């Protein structure tokens, strides 16, 4: 009886230099959109935690938007997304909830874009 092992490696490339979804692409991920709609602080804390920051950091954003700006800047740097602090401030001031939804979607998409290794053992 022969045993064959097949290894399949699948990778999904994420373009660097731009956000993978637009600022108003809420319909592309309804779970994120609904979370933001019904419990926005939960979405903020979850997003910060998934990105590796302290989950309660966004709660400090209620007085000023420094945490959002810093997190967005750090995310842009880590993922190689073009932009500037000035762009971040303007976007956050105009579309605060949409910015958090976009950052949450970005983390989800980047997490899924890694290599997936599947092994199949066939007995003949």
């Amino acid at each position: 009886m022969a045993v064959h092992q097949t290894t399949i490696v699948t990778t999904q490339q994420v373009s660097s230099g731009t956000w993978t979804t637009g600022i108003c692409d809420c319909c592309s991920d309804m779970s994120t959109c609904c979370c933001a709609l019904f419990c926005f602080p939960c979405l903020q804390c979850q997003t910060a935690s998934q990105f590796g920051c302290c989950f309660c950091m966004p709660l400090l954003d209620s007085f000023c938007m420094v945490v959002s700006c810093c997190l967005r800047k750090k995310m842009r740097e880590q993922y190689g997304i073009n932009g500037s602090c000035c762009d971040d401030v303007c976007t956050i001031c105009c579309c605060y909830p949409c910015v958090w939804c976009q950052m949450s979607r970005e983390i989800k998409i980047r997490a899924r874009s890694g290599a997936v290794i599947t092994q199949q053992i066939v007995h003949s």
Side-chain angles (χ1 to χ4, degrees):
M1 172 165 34
V3 176
H4 302 284
Q5 182 173 352
T6 306
T7 303
I8 301 168
V9 178
T10 307
T11 59
Q12 177 185 359
Q13 295 296 322
V14 175
S15 63
S16 62
T18 60
W19 294 93
T20 54
T21 61
I23 196 76
C24 295
D25 270 345
C26 291
C27 293
S28 66
D29 184 1
M30 290 306 292
S31 64
T32 299
C33 183
C34 289
C35 184
L37 181 64
F38 295 112
C39 189
F40 186 64
C42 295
L43 174 76
Q44 289 177 295
C45 293
Q46 180 183 23
T47 301
S49 176
Q50 288 174 337
F51 192 62
C53 297
C54 177
F55 76 95
C56 60
M57 263 181 53
L59 300 176
L60 302 173
D61 242 7
S62 58
F63 302 109
C64 62
M65 294 179 249
V66 173
V67 173
S68 295
C69 290
C70 290
L71 186 64
R72 190 168 174 88
K73 179 182 181 287
K74 185 176 176 183
M75 192 174 291
R76 280 190 304 99
E77 289 172 350
Q78 182 171 325
Y79 295 148
I81 298 170
N82 297 327
S84 67
C85 287
C86 185
D87 291 338
D88 293 341
V89 169
C90 291
T91 306
I92 289 168
C93 286
C94 293
C95 310
Y96 187 71
C98 296
V99 164
W100 277 95
C101 288
Q102 183 186 39
M103 291 192 299
S104 178
R105 289 191 306 269
E106 193 70 27
I107 291 168
K108 286 181 183 180
I109 290 168
R110 301 279 177 159
R112 288 190 306 236
S113 69
V116 177
I117 300 173
T118 306
Q119 289 189 344
Q120 181 180 14
I121 299 175
V122 180
H123 297 279
S124 9

